[in-house]
Amino acid sequence: MPLKRIADSTVRRLSLYLRFLEEFENAGLTTVSSEELAARGGTTSAQVRKDLSFFGSFGKRGLGYQVGELTQRMRRILGLERDWRVVIIGVGKIGAALAQYEGFRQRGFRVVGLYDSDSAKIGREMYDLYVRSVDALADDNREQPVDIAVIAVPAPAAQRVVDQVVAAGITGIMSFAPIQLHVPSDVTLNTVNMAMELERLSYALSNRE
Amino acid sequence: MPLKRIADSTVRRLSLYLRFLEEFENAGLTTVSSEELAARGGTTSAQVRKDLSFFGSFGKRGLGYQVGELTQRMRRILGLERDWRVVIIGVGKIGAALAQYEGFRQRGFRVVGLYDSDSAKIGREMYDLYVRSVDALADDNREQPVDIAVIAVPAPAAQRVVDQVVAAGITGIMSFAPIQLHVPSDVTLNTVNMAMELERLSYALSNRE
DNA sequence: TTATGTGAACGCATTCACAGCC
DNA sequence: GGCTGTGAATGCGTTCACATAA
């Protein structure tokens, strides 16, 4: 849809704007200005307008934006008008927390499968799903294609699991393993590296005056 | 220590380099080149050298870097030579998962307190700690200062809790709440917004050809 | 000869400033 | 008059290319 490639930072902000818009909507507001959106997100009105301008002209000059309409537009842009079929691989502490995470379901990310390689966990029922062997992933995906695999296994196992996910034909991956993963270019990978985030905080705390 | 402000992206990469260096160290290697570090991290050798150059000249021309020495340097730069006293606020699913997270302890982030506002949870023992009321935070911090508060409460409660944390005098915050938080400028805040990361993935998946 | 360290060139995201429209 | 939309200017991180040192 957008003409040129959109910066990562822009997409992140769109996600913020969407949240603010939903709050405005719940508060019953019908109109919002770039200035108001900027104030909430700790950015500038010019930034907001520029971000939106990559996707079209959604506002009215002298007036602002229609909250309902802009909310809808943001949802469409971010690909949130559809449901995403998600499997979680690794049902340890983090995997289990994610499986129950309300934020998933709310945004249309439907957890449709749990996988693990620990035979003690395979077959167990968790949150209305049976934990299955990672080895079953390829067959399962053939029957009912999966959009996103969430990787929540220990670091040493992560690359191996990712290779299995890729081999199974799943092309969207969200990883919580604290390592750098490698995937083919037709697979989209997004990593949340908690260790890195902690160290970033540690750096910031160590270097302020 | 560094002369100019260091870019966020640089600090993130330093964190990656550290992990690779530790792997090289475990593998018994004594020397590493910027080229080798770059290959692992999916970046370029020039990038690696530039990143390091902000902090000093750690290598030998024609030779590369001493693994042991560079590892030590990275640790010092990232502030990982000391221990950090961490409290986790909100012992729901995510908080509980974090409390047990090995990556914390491994890097010197010692969880020294658990807090919640749910009276059903206060007083309960979890992982060798007693869950305490958030209201006790200020007193507790006076007795034994805390470096970092990890916020793992639901979004609607997050800003209120952060205000309490700030009022208690804690100046390092790591938040997992999926909202934009506001803190005074003398408080360092780092947010991991899972909802945003999911939407970023959704965007990427929706817009590939 | 090999690989670092770094000023200079480049490219891209943010900010500015104002024309355009309500 | 008020606020959007957007080229132009700016600032900043990345890449280049080479002088420098082992």
Side-chain angles (χ1 to χ4, degrees):
Chain A
M1 170 73 33
L3 299 83
K4 39 177 295 189
R5 217 199 134 273
I6 299 300
D8 221 66
S9 45
T10 296
V11 179
R12 288 195 142 90
R13 283 191 299 269
L14 292 184
S15 184
L16 280 182
Y17 302 157
L18 173 55
R19 201 127 309 113
F20 303 149
L21 285 164
E22 287 171 343
E23 286 172 27
F24 285 130
E25 208 168 28
N26 289 337
L29 298 180
T30 59
T31 269
V32 68
S33 69
S34 57
E35 195 60 67
E36 291 167 302
L37 278 172
R40 288 257 186 155
T43 182
T44 66
S45 61
Q47 181 75 79
V48 171
R49 294 199 300 278
K50 180 66 87 178
D51 286 340
L52 298 180
S53 77
F54 293 130
F55 301 92
S57 318
F58 308 135
K60 297 240 182 305
R61 295 174 193 230
L63 234 153
Y65 303 88
Q66 289 300 108
V67 171
E69 189 204 330
L70 192 55
T71 305
Q72 210 51 39
R73 298 267 198 184
M74 290 296 101
R75 284 223 186 83
R76 164 162 302 176
I77 289 167
L78 290 171
L80 299 173
E81 280 187 321
R82 52 161 287 185
D83 275 6
W84 296 96
R85 293 174 53 84
V86 176
V87 295
I88 293 175
I89 307 187
V91 290
K93 295 140 209 161
I94 295 179
L98 292 172
Q100 297 171 92
Y101 181 50
E102 258 313 299
F104 266 123
R105 177 157 264 110
Q106 273 173 24
R107 296 253 168 227
F109 296 86
R110 288 173 41 218
V111 179
V112 298
L114 302 176
Y115 292 84
D116 208 297
S117 52
D118 179 355
S119 57
K121 288 175 182 159
I122 295 168
R124 193 184 294 178
E125 189 181 355
M126 293 176 75
Y127 326 116
D128 304 324
L129 292 168
Y130 286 96
V131 178
R132 293 172 61 72
S133 164
V134 178
D135 298 330
L137 201 55
D139 284 346
D140 290 358
N141 184 58
R142 214 158 324 183
E143 256 177 53
Q144 279 271 307
V146 167
D147 300 304
I148 297 169
V150 173
I151 310 295
V153 303
Q159 184 62 59
R160 178 163 29 87
V161 165
V162 164
D163 292 343
Q164 284 184 280
V165 166
V166 170
I170 299 173
T171 58
I173 297 177
M174 173 105 219
S175 167
F176 290 89
I179 62 158
Q180 187 77 355
L181 294 167
H182 299 273
V183 296
S185 62
D186 62 324
V187 174
T188 301
L189 168 68
N190 188 4
T191 299
V192 172
N193 188 330
M194 232 138 69
M196 183 187 291
E197 297 301 330
L198 276 174
E199 294 181 9
R200 212 155 67 77
L201 183 58
S202 168
Y203 174 83
L205 293 175
S206 305
N207 293 85
R208 59 185 183 189
E209 54 274 6
Chain B
M1 169 78 25
L3 298 82
K4 38 177 295 189
R5 216 198 135 273
I6 300 300
D8 221 68
S9 45
T10 295
V11 179
R12 289 195 142 91
R13 283 191 299 269
L14 292 183
S15 183
L16 280 182
Y17 302 157
L18 173 55
R19 201 127 308 112
F20 302 150
L21 285 165
E22 286 170 343
E23 287 172 26
F24 285 131
E25 209 168 26
N26 289 337
L29 298 178
T30 59
T31 268
V32 68
S33 68
S34 58
E35 194 61 66
E36 291 166 302
L37 278 172
R40 288 259 185 151
T43 180
T44 67
S45 62
Q47 180 77 79
V48 172
R49 295 199 299 279
K50 181 64 90 179
D51 286 340
L52 298 180
S53 78
F54 293 131
F55 301 92
S57 318
F58 307 135
K60 296 240 181 303
R61 295 174 192 229
L63 234 154
Y65 304 87
Q66 290 300 108
V67 172
E69 189 205 329
L70 192 55
T71 306
Q72 210 51 37
R73 299 266 198 183
M74 289 297 100
R75 283 224 186 82
R76 164 162 303 176
I77 290 167
L78 291 171
L80 299 173
E81 280 187 322
R82 52 161 289 184
D83 275 7
W84 296 96
R85 293 173 53 81
V86 176
V87 295
I88 294 175
I89 306 186
V91 291
K93 296 139 207 161
I94 294 179
L98 292 171
Q100 295 171 91
Y101 181 48
E102 258 314 299
F104 266 124
R105 178 156 262 110
Q106 274 173 24
R107 297 255 168 226
F109 296 86
R110 289 172 41 217
V111 178
V112 298
L114 301 177
Y115 292 83
D116 208 296
S117 53
D118 179 355
S119 57
K121 287 174 183 160
I122 294 168
R124 194 184 293 179
E125 190 182 354
M126 292 176 77
Y127 327 117
D128 304 325
L129 292 168
Y130 286 97
V131 178
R132 294 172 60 73
S133 164
V134 179
D135 297 330
L137 202 54
D139 285 345
D140 291 357
N141 184 58
R142 214 159 326 187
E143 257 177 53
Q144 279 271 307
V146 166
D147 300 304
I148 297 170
V150 173
I151 309 296
V153 303
Q159 185 61 58
R160 179 163 28 87
V161 165
V162 164
D163 292 343
Q164 284 184 279
V165 166
V166 170
I170 300 174
T171 58
I173 297 178
M174 173 104 218
S175 168
F176 291 90
I179 62 157
Q180 186 79 353
L181 294 168
H182 300 272
V183 296
S185 61
D186 62 324
V187 174
T188 302
L189 168 68
N190 188 5
T191 299
V192 173
N193 189 331
M194 231 138 70
M196 184 187 291
E197 297 301 330
L198 276 174
E199 292 180 11
R200 213 156 67 78
L201 182 59
S202 167
Y203 174 83
L205 292 175
S206 304
N207 292 84
R208 60 186 184 188
E209 53 273 6

